[in-house]
Amino acid sequence: MFKMNAKKWSLLLFIPLLAVQGCDQGSTTSSAESADRITLAPNEHNLTIGDYNVHVNALTTDQLPVEVARGYQITRSQNRAMLNVSVRKNVNGTEKPVPATVNVVVKNLSNQIKDIKLREIRENDPLAIYYIGEVPVNHEETLVFNVDLKPEGENETILLGYRQRFFTQ
């Protein structure tokens, strides 16, 4: 029969506790980060925060009219998604587009990061400011967009979570 002294038993019990404690710390950190992020409900694209109305939308680029895609130099494809973010401020009952610093991290449900570069688009008639970027997407893939935006002149960054499932076939 295998005999073990009390010192060895306590060491064997202590090691799994360290492993569990390490896992708990990791999940606590990610929970705190996600707790600060406002997650839009499924099929929700607008969010009002204080004086700001934020619009977030994603679609496959094959849904864009040919003229629009050509005008913005967007590759039309069922395997490419386009994210569109805009920020409008309520000024005396009227919404006005405002520039913002917008950063996005895109991940799929396997936590794989996908590269996206946003560019600002400004139009004059009517006045509009929005930010678009493209990212590759697979059939039935769900992408999670973590959007950090700070409207010009503000000190606080708005943290949003937006999720979209894509059907490419």
Side-chain angles (χ1 to χ4, degrees):
M1 181 176 233
F2 184 69
K3 290 186 179 183
M4 191 177 293
N5 65 28
K7 194 175 199 180
K8 287 182 181 175
W9 271 111
S10 63
L11 181 62
L12 284 176
L13 291 174
F14 183 69
I15 290 171
L17 287 174
L18 284 176
V20 170
Q21 190 176 25
C23 291
D24 286 343
Q25 288 174 349
S27 63
T28 301
T29 303
S30 62
S31 295
E33 289 172 3
S34 60
D36 294 340
R37 192 167 297 280
I38 301 166
T39 303
L40 296 170
N43 297 318
E44 183 180 19
H45 303 283
N46 293 303
L47 180 67
T48 301
I49 301 171
D51 290 337
Y52 294 97
N53 186 23
V54 179
H55 178 81
V56 181
N57 194 24
L59 66 150
T60 54
T61 59
D62 65 327
Q63 296 178 48
L64 296 171
V66 174
E67 313 80 46
V68 172
R70 189 177 304 126
Y72 292 109
Q73 300 171 350
I74 296 170
T75 303
R76 292 181 77 239
S77 170
Q78 65 181 2
N79 295 313
R80 291 195 66 73
M82 182 188 83
L83 176 70
N84 179 5
V85 179
S86 67
V87 182
R88 300 175 65 85
K89 184 173 184 177
N90 185 357
V91 179
N92 298 326
T94 303
E95 283 191 359
K96 301 199 186 262
V98 295
T101 301
V102 182
N103 295 303
V104 179
V105 174
V106 182
K107 294 180 183 181
N108 62 18
L109 296 181
S110 298
N111 238 8
Q112 297 169 318
I113 296 176
K114 296 195 171 221
D115 187 39
I116 188 167
K117 291 182 173 75
L118 295 183
R119 56 191 166 114
E120 182 181 272
I121 305 293
R122 288 186 184 231
E123 296 179 354
N124 291 324
D125 192 23
L127 182 61
I129 302 171
Y130 48 96
Y131 302 86
I132 60 172
E134 297 174 67
V135 63
V137 66
N138 295 311
H139 181 58
E140 293 191 19
E141 184 174 32
T142 298
L143 296 182
V144 178
F145 300 89
N146 287 328
V147 181
D148 299 358
L149 60 93
K150 183 159 76 170
E152 189 174 80
E154 294 292 333
N155 294 325
E156 297 293 319
T157 299
I158 299 169
L159 306 175
L160 297 177
Y162 174 73
R163 175 183 290 236
Q164 179 73 39
R165 186 171 183 194
F166 296 91
F167 298 92
T168 63
Q169 296 178 347

